[in-house]
Amino acid sequence: MAISSRFSVGIHILTLIAFNKDGVSSSDYLAASVNTNPALIRKITGMLKKAGLVEVRPGVAGTTLARKLSDITLLDVYQAVDVVQDNELFNVHPSPSPKCEVGRNIQETIVPILSSAQLALEKVLQHVTIEDIVKDIHMKEGI
Amino acid sequence: MAISSRFSVGIHILTLIAFNKDGVSSSDYLAASVNTNPALIRKITGMLKKAGLVEVRPGVAGTTLARKLSDITLLDVYQAVDVVQDNELFNVHPSPSPKCEVGRNIQETIVPILSSAQLALEKVLQHVTIEDIVKDIHMKEGI
DNA sequence: AAGTCTTGTAACGATAATGGTTACAGCACT
DNA sequence: AGTGCTGTAACCATTATCGTTACAAGACTT
């Protein structure tokens, strides 16, 4: 199955907060741009907060960035929104037969390969920051 | 969510067929090593067949490899078992607001980044063949 | 030709995650 | 006190997975 859109929503939220740095980024405001429900936005900002990417406080309107734009990578967001639990992107079929040469070795053999594939993906995400996203949109808008 | 275990089962099946090249790899036989149901194995061998990786025929016991071990990459298996539909690993939140600078550009901005991350993952899978898996298990078994 | 074994598939259920929604408690500010 | 916001719990519809049963259809043996 595909990786949850929470990830893309998280990126959207952070980018929008950066654009709206002179305004108040309430969950209503963010939800309007993402085109979803404010409660869903609050769930995700809650995750971003737990990961130390943003600051939000109960009762106080608006979410703000907790770090510089250039210090938030897409990998940070990816991990913050729990898009892959236990950090295991690949689901390996459990308990193969120990009586079989292949069965008793297959997991140990493929897990490192799958991990390195996952790592390759994460490395790409690690090298893109929210600042890059913001700059790209600036360019597209001709700002 | 995690990537379906169909992928790891597919690898297991192909590896086991290679090991069992003097025997008959029926769905019962394969299911015993994978530790699952024969019907599930037949579903997956059906997918592998459609992708041209194996040969199976109704009524005839056993699945055989359609290519050399060194000509089957993990990417072939990954794509064969439809683990990611539409080839879109990342699910991007649909229909952001076109009224917002961020909303109307975010998709166009992040989709290429997510694609390149996906591509990095696939590249790793492309460089490992079933032959590599077989050799590794031979080594582990001291053969 | 009958019988047996196998594959191919349809159908169903249990489980889990997602995305959306409602509702409301609790906090902060006016 | 009143208003507005966040944090969260609860619930639902939808979807995919994995497992399982059941059976039709093909292939081979005797």
Side-chain angles (χ1 to χ4, degrees):
Chain A
M1 201 194 278
I3 287 173
S4 165
S5 69
R6 277 201 305 276
F7 180 35
S8 76
V9 173
I11 299 172
H12 190 145
I13 288 173
L14 293 169
T15 307
L16 187 48
I17 293 172
F19 262 80
N20 189 37
K21 67 171 187 288
D22 297 330
V24 175
S25 298
S26 67
S27 62
D28 265 16
Y29 172 78
L30 297 171
S33 173
V34 174
N35 190 26
T36 184
N37 197 286
L40 188 59
I41 296 289
R42 291 199 290 273
K43 274 185 204 167
I44 299 180
T45 52
M47 291 173 149
L48 298 175
K49 178 186 181 181
K50 198 176 289 182
L53 304 184
V54 300
E55 280 165 7
V56 212
R57 277 176 314 171
V60 182
T63 302
T64 55
L65 298 177
R67 301 190 200 162
K68 283 189 301 179
L69 285 180
S70 56
D71 276 0
I72 304 179
T73 70
L74 296 198
L75 181 59
D76 293 328
V77 184
Y78 175 85
Q79 291 170 336
V81 299
D82 258 354
V83 97
V84 171
Q85 70 279 47
D86 302 326
N87 216 27
E88 303 218 322
L89 177 59
F90 293 95
N91 202 335
V92 175
H93 191 88
S95 54
S97 169
K99 294 180 198 160
C100 165
E101 281 171 325
V102 176
R104 66 171 166 263
N105 289 293
I106 191 74
Q107 293 194 342
E108 223 180 314
T109 296
I110 66 176
V111 164
I113 297 168
L114 302 183
S115 293
S116 74
Q118 182 178 344
L119 210 65
L121 176 144
E122 293 177 355
K123 210 167 233 169
V124 172
L125 300 182
Q126 193 173 19
H127 285 88
V128 180
T129 67
I130 298 295
E131 188 181 33
D132 297 329
I133 308 285
V134 169
K135 281 184 178 167
D136 192 69
I137 294 183
H138 274 152
M139 238 183 50
K140 287 196 165 79
E141 285 281 321
I143 305 179
Chain B
M1 201 194 281
I3 288 173
S4 165
S5 68
R6 276 202 304 276
F7 181 34
S8 76
V9 173
I11 299 172
H12 190 144
I13 288 173
L14 293 169
T15 307
L16 187 49
I17 294 173
F19 262 81
N20 188 38
K21 67 171 186 285
D22 296 330
V24 174
S25 299
S26 67
S27 62
D28 265 16
Y29 171 79
L30 296 171
S33 173
V34 173
N35 191 26
T36 184
N37 197 285
L40 188 60
I41 296 290
R42 292 198 290 273
K43 273 185 203 168
I44 298 180
T45 51
M47 291 172 149
L48 298 175
K49 178 186 181 182
K50 198 176 290 184
L53 304 185
V54 300
E55 280 166 8
V56 212
R57 276 176 313 169
V60 181
T63 302
T64 55
L65 298 177
R67 301 191 201 162
K68 285 189 300 179
L69 285 180
S70 56
D71 277 359
I72 304 179
T73 70
L74 296 198
L75 182 60
D76 292 328
V77 184
Y78 175 86
Q79 291 170 335
V81 299
D82 258 353
V83 97
V84 171
Q85 70 277 47
D86 301 327
N87 217 27
E88 303 220 322
L89 177 58
F90 292 95
N91 202 334
V92 175
H93 190 89
S95 54
S97 168
K99 294 179 199 159
C100 165
E101 280 172 328
V102 176
R104 66 171 165 261
N105 289 293
I106 192 74
Q107 293 194 342
E108 222 181 315
T109 297
I110 66 176
V111 164
I113 298 167
L114 302 182
S115 294
S116 73
Q118 181 179 346
L119 210 65
L121 176 144
E122 293 177 355
K123 211 167 231 170
V124 172
L125 300 182
Q126 194 173 19
H127 284 87
V128 180
T129 67
I130 298 295
E131 187 181 34
D132 297 328
I133 307 285
V134 169
K135 281 184 177 167
D136 192 70
I137 295 182
H138 274 151
M139 239 183 48
K140 287 198 166 77
E141 286 281 321
I143 307 179

